[in-house]
């Protein structure tokens, strides 16, 4: 019933024992298996490709447009690292803008978002650097906007910090609308906002301006402009303070030795000028301060008001901050109540609290007039002492002596003879008759 030889040959692998028909059948079966092994993967790949094509040609028009826009934005916007822009200024010089990351903000608009921007430009041979955490550069306008921890460094002499700033390489102008703080080696300044003009070499601080240089402080509620080339600072409605001395002016121009130290060398006040020192208020049309000799000049229409009540006026004045002296010259006039002192020149000594007069002194009182070559007014005593060629005149009568004391409390003057000297005078006859009539 069973062909044992065939069975044995099947398990032993002896295919020669198969008959011819069976051998043909086995050969065909192997070909079919090999065909399906090759054909099936190809078929799967064909179906997948057909599915993708069918998906791309979806009947939904909206889906097709949206996918196209996203794809276009993806390929057109670019992002680069460690990028450098070279920008040509009007004078033909190059400014350089670097950034760790540059990413296009809007395709085709040439507007780029910057990470850690670092710009460098030149101002008359001096290097200005601008850095920040983030920023935007608009290439068509050549305009750089900086945000967060903005730092501007001027030739390694002055560092300015703020939170936002804009600089245009084409117009060479910049501005910032947030608080700005500047630091030099021995000075600093701050303001509510600022503008910068490279052509003029000018940084203008606007609103609540404050600047400190050593012992000197300058304040302005309005504005102040720093000219870097001339180390000059012009401030309007300014107040300059040094210790207890205060100078105010409609416009104060201060010159620095350099912008690194902000040490004031000279200062000029233009327009209404005020000086406050040692309990005195001084006013003039103009003023000038020299740090080298510590002197402050008051020019034209000088007026001094003292706490004791006297008022002094003169054409010009000179205040020495070191010696604490105030010199008045040309048409000097001191008024205390009904008492008036006039002289070509007077010097106030703050430590002694006295005024000394030179070149001829004249004291006018209700009791008469006293004149002499020199004199001194003791402010605390409220008395004037006159010496050398002293003459007292009243009602046409003239009396001469070595010394006269004019008491401003009583408005009376009296002559004194020194070292056995004599008092002489000339009395008018009318004065004797008036006395006899009494």
């Amino acid at each position: 019933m069973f062909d044992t030889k065939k069975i044995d040959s099947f398990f032993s692998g002896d295919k020669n024992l198969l008959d011819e028909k069976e051998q043909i059948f086995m050969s065909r079966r192997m070909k079919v298996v090999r065909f399906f092994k090759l054909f099936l993967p190809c078929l799967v790949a064909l179906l997948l490709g057909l599915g993708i094509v069918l998906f791309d040609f979806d009947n939904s028009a909206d889906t097709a447009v949206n996918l196209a826009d996203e794809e276009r934005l993806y390929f057109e916007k670019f992002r680069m690292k460690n990028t450098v822009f070279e920008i040509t200024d009007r004078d033909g010089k190059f400014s350089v803008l670097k950034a760790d990351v540059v990413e296009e903000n809007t395709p085709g608009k040439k507007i780029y978002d910057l990470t850690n921007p670092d710009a460098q430009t030149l101002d008359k041979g001096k290097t200005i650097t601008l850095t920040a955490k983030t920023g935007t550069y608009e290439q068509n306008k050549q305009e750089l906007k900086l945000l967060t921890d903005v730092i501007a460094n001027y030739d390694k002499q002055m560092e300015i910090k703020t939170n936002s700033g804009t600089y245009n390489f084409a117009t060479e102008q910049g501005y910032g609308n947030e608080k700005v703080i500047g630091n030099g080696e021995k000075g600093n300044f701050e303001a509510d906002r600022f503008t910068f003009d490279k052509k003029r070499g000018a940084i203008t601080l606007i609103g609540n301006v404050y600047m400190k240089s050593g012992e000197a402080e300058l304040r302005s509620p309005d504005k102040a402009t720093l000219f870097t080339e001339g180390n000059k600072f012009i401030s309007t409605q300014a107040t300059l303070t040094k210790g207890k001395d205060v100078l105010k002016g409609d416009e104060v121009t201060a010159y620095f030795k350099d912008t690194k130290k902000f040490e004031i060398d000279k200062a000029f006040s233009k327009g209404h000028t005020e000086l406050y020192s040692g309990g005195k208020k001084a006013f003039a049309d103009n003023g000038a301060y020299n740090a080298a000799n510590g002197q402050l000049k008051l020019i034209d229409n000088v007026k001094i008001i003292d706490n004791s009540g006297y008022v002094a006026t003169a054409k010009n004045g000179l205040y020495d901050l070191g010696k604490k002296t105030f010199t008045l010259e040309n048409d000097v006039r001191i008024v205390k109540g009904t008492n008036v002192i006039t002289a070509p020149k007077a010097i106030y000594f703050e430590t002694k609290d006295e005024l000394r007069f030179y070149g001829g002194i004249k004291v006018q009182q209700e009791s008469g007039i006293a004149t002499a070559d020199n004199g001194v007014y003791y402010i605390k005593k409220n008395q004037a002492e006159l010496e050398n060629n002293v003459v007292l005149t009243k009602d046409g009568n003239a009396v001469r002596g070595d010394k006269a004391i004019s008491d401003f409390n009583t408005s009376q003057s009296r002559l004194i003879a020194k070292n056995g000297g004599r008092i002489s005078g000339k009395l008018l006859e009318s004065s004797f008759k008036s006395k006899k009539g009494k």
Side-chain angles (χ1 to χ4, degrees), residues 59-206:
N59 290 331
S60 173
D62 292 339
T63 304
V65 171
N66 290 337
L67 288 173
D69 287 343
E70 289 179 5
E71 191 175 30
R72 179 175 59 81
L73 290 173
Y74 177 80
F75 284 108
E76 288 189 6
K77 287 179 65 175
F78 68 87
R79 188 173 188 269
M80 298 181 294
K81 293 184 178 180
N82 301 321
T83 307
V84 178
F85 293 91
E86 286 191 351
I87 306 165
T88 305
D89 298 337
R90 285 188 174 183
D91 56 7
K93 296 181 180 179
F94 285 99
S95 295
V96 178
L97 172 60
K98 303 176 184 178
D100 290 351
V101 179
V102 175
E103 187 169 2
E104 196 173 17
N105 182 287
T106 305
K109 298 295 184 181
K110 294 186 178 181
I111 300 174
Y112 310 101
D113 294 328
L114 311 174
T115 302
N116 295 326
D118 185 334
Q120 187 177 98
T121 187
L122 294 175
D123 179 21
K124 297 178 178 64
K126 297 182 178 180
T127 303
I128 302 173
T129 60
L130 304 167
T131 61
K133 285 190 175 180
T134 61
T136 302
Y137 178 59
E138 191 168 348
Q139 192 171 6
N140 290 329
K141 293 183 179 180
Q142 291 186 289
E143 188 171 83
L144 174 64
K145 293 183 179 180
L146 301 175
L147 297 170
T148 312
D149 296 341
V150 180
I151 299 176
N153 190 297
Y154 184 82
D155 206 43
K156 297 182 180 180
Q157 292 186 352
M158 175 176 55
E159 185 179 78
I160 302 173
K161 296 181 179 180
T162 185
N163 274 324
S164 67
T166 300
Y167 180 72
N168 190 296
F169 292 93
T171 62
E172 298 182 332
Q173 294 179 335
Y175 65 91
N177 292 321
E178 296 192 54
K179 186 174 182 178
V180 56
I181 298 174
N183 292 287
E185 188 176 282
K186 292 185 179 179
N188 59 278
F189 63 78
E190 61 182 59
D192 291 344
R193 57 190 188 278
F194 75 96
T195 63
F196 173 66
D197 191 324
K198 182 179 172 182
K199 294 178 185 177
R200 297 172 61 211
I203 301 171
T204 300
L205 305 176
I206 304 169

Side-chain angles (χ1 to χ4, degrees), residues 326-379:
F326 208 127
T327 302
L328 297 172
E329 291 185 293
N330 300 325
D331 301 327
V332 179
R333 182 182 177 89
I334 310 294
V335 178
K336 178 72 178 290
T338 59
N339 305 284
V340 179
I341 303 175
T342 58
K345 180 179 178 180
I347 300 177
Y348 170 74
F349 296 87
E350 187 174 318
T351 55
K352 297 179 180 181
D353 199 23
E354 62 185 36
L355 273 160
R356 291 191 172 273
F357 300 88
Y358 305 91
I361 178 174
K362 181 179 179 181
V363 178
Q364 292 177 277
Q365 295 181 294
E366 292 179 352
S367 60
I369 297 174
T371 61
D373 291 342
N374 304 304
V376 56
Y377 172 48
Y378 298 101
I379 296 172

Side-chain angles (χ1 to χ4, degrees), residues 50 54 59 134 160 176 192 232 269 301 313 351 393 405:
L50 184 60
L54 291 174
N59 290 331
T134 61
I160 302 173
D192 291 344
K232 182 172 66 174
S269 174
N301 300 317
T313 59
T351 55
T393 304
I405 296 177

